């Protein structure tokens, strides 16, 4: 028994040293990248696996259409990044193969197709999720997920901490004995501060008067306690913004409470609660396939569909019927991030028209619906319409 405890202690010591180094790095606060000064802005399109290569081709076509003059003028470059497939990752036993990571780091921003996350019992080795690894490697500390439901007056912006919490050591738990397993959750002052500040800054810049902090600080007194205490401290700097805090359990109930849901606007939380809430929120909006997700750091940023790689669609030969609207929506978030705000708005409007308002064709994921290519052509035709914004306003 003693020996097992010694092994666990050595493991824990190593983790603590790594995390203390991380805190030191977090103390050096970098400036945000300024895209107006970057020439060319390199957008990497990571195809992923499963339905990823198919839907990312459609997203690329839409970006090419919108960015035509910037591509011709040399302000923007699009670059395909292949090889982030489960087959390659399993071959080298890495969440992201080294050569792929090198290519990724040569880009400024990334649009990412889904990648398979192995789970115990499937045919793949149990390597770490490519998303989780990329968020850590590129320090993409903010997972920003908008959810809107016009008829319910829902307009939420989630800021999920993306690099620590229950995730950071998710692959480094320890089986002390056959019967005793321990995982670790990490919250740092610096990690909490930067995501909470981003949420408050977003509220301030968009004239939103309310920020909601979600934790389980009544039970996880140390880690969530720190997150909540940090929020309390930062909130004092934003006197014009009202803030409140909720525990994750009651928050998941209140998100579906018609009397309460529209009151939430900007929501900030540690990693795992944000993961759970944003799936719930996306479902309220119409399903996880309808949501886009931004993973933002001060240097790099990665934009992706919320859904997975849909291995069942691949197995059943339905890839061409996969819905590209989620990754295209992620493309709109990408355009916004690199400062092309008008193009981003245009794309959002066209998506609203094609997926909700006009919906001339619909995608079902099967051969009784449109293909991704047909949908993309419909979207591009809609974008091409010079009356796009009038058309959109008409539906409001
Ligand atoms: C998400 C996903 C990922 C996460 C998975 C694929 C590891 O659910 O982006 O929300 O849990 O963060
Ligand atoms: Mg999730």
């Amino acid at each position: 028994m003693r020996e097992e405890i010694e092994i666990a202690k050595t493991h824990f010591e190593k983790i603590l040293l790594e995390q203390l180094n991380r805190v030191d790095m977090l103390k050096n606060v970098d400036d945000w990248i300024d895209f107006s000064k970057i020439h060319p802005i390199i957008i990497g399109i990571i195809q992923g696996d499963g339905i990823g290569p198919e839907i990312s081709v459609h997203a690329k076509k839409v970006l090419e259409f919108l960015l035509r003059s910037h591509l011709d003028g040399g302000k923007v470059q699009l670059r395909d990044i292949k090889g982030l497939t489960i087959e390659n990752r399993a071959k080298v036993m890495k969440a992201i193969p080294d050569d792929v990571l090198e290519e990724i780091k040569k880009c400024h921003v990334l649009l990412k197709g889904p990648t398979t996350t192995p789970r115990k019992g499937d045919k793949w080795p149990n390597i770490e999720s490519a998303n989780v690894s990329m968020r850590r490697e590129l320090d993409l500390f903010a997972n920003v997920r908008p959810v809107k439901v016009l008829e319910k007056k829902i307009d939420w912006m989630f800021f999920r901490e993306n690099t620590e919490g229950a995730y950071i050591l998710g692959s480094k738990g320890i089986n002390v004995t056959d019967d005793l397993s321990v995982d670790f959750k990490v919250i740092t002052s610096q990690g909490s501060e930067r995501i909470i500040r981003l949420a408050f800054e977003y509220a301030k810049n968009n004239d939103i008067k309310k920020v909601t902090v979600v934790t389980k600080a009544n039970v996880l007194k140390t880690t969530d306690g720190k997150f909540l205490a940090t929020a309390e401290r930062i909130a004092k700097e934003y006197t014009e913004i009202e803030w409140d805090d909720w525990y994750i359990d009651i928050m998941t109930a209140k998100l579906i409470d018609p009397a309460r849901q529209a009151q939430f606007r900007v929501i900030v939380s540690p990693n795992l609660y944000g993961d759970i809430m944003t799936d719930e929120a996306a479902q309220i909006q119409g399903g996880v396939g309808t949501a886009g997700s931004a993973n933002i750091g001060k240097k790099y940023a990665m934009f992706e569909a919320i859904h997975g790689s849909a291995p069942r669609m691949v197995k059943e030969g339905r890839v061409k019927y996969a819905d590209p609207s989620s990754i295209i929506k992620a493309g709109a978030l990408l355009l916004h991030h690199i400062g092309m705000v008008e193009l981003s708005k245009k794309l959002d409007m066209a998506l609203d028209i094609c997926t909700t308002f006009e919906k001339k064709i619909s995608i079902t994921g099967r051969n009784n619906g449109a293909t991704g290519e047909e949908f993309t052509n419909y979207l591009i035709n809609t974008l091409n319409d010079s009356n796009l914004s009038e058309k959109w306003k008409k539906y409001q």
Side-chain angles (χ1 to χ4, degrees), residues 145 160 275 279:
R145 294 178 167 179
R160 161 188 175 189
D275 178 47
D279 267 14

Side-chain angles (χ1 to χ4, degrees), residues 139-144 159-162 195 198 294-297:
D139 200 25
L140 308 174
F141 68 88
N143 194 310
V144 185
F159 287 83
R160 161 188 175 189
E161 201 293 318
N162 213 18
I195 186 75
L198 195 66
N295 297 269
I296 293 174

Side-chain angles (χ1 to χ4, degrees), residues 117 129 131-132 135 145 160 167 275 304:
T117 301
S129 137
N131 293 42
V132 173
R135 290 165 185 167
R145 294 178 167 179
R160 161 188 175 189
Y167 277 65
D275 178 47
E304 61 181 339

Side-chain angles (χ1 to χ4, degrees), residues 30 34 46 56 62 65 68 90 99 106 155 162 191 198 218 253 268 275 304 328-329 341 352 363 367 373:
D30 297 328
D34 178 355
I46 303 175
S56 59
V62 174
F65 174 80
R68 189 75 273 153
D99 54 334
K106 288 183 195 153
D155 188 357
N162 213 18
L198 195 66
N218 52 341
V268 58
D275 178 47
E304 61 181 339
I328 295 175
K329 193 169 265 182
V341 177
D352 281 349
I363 291 198
N367 62 6
E373 186 178 2

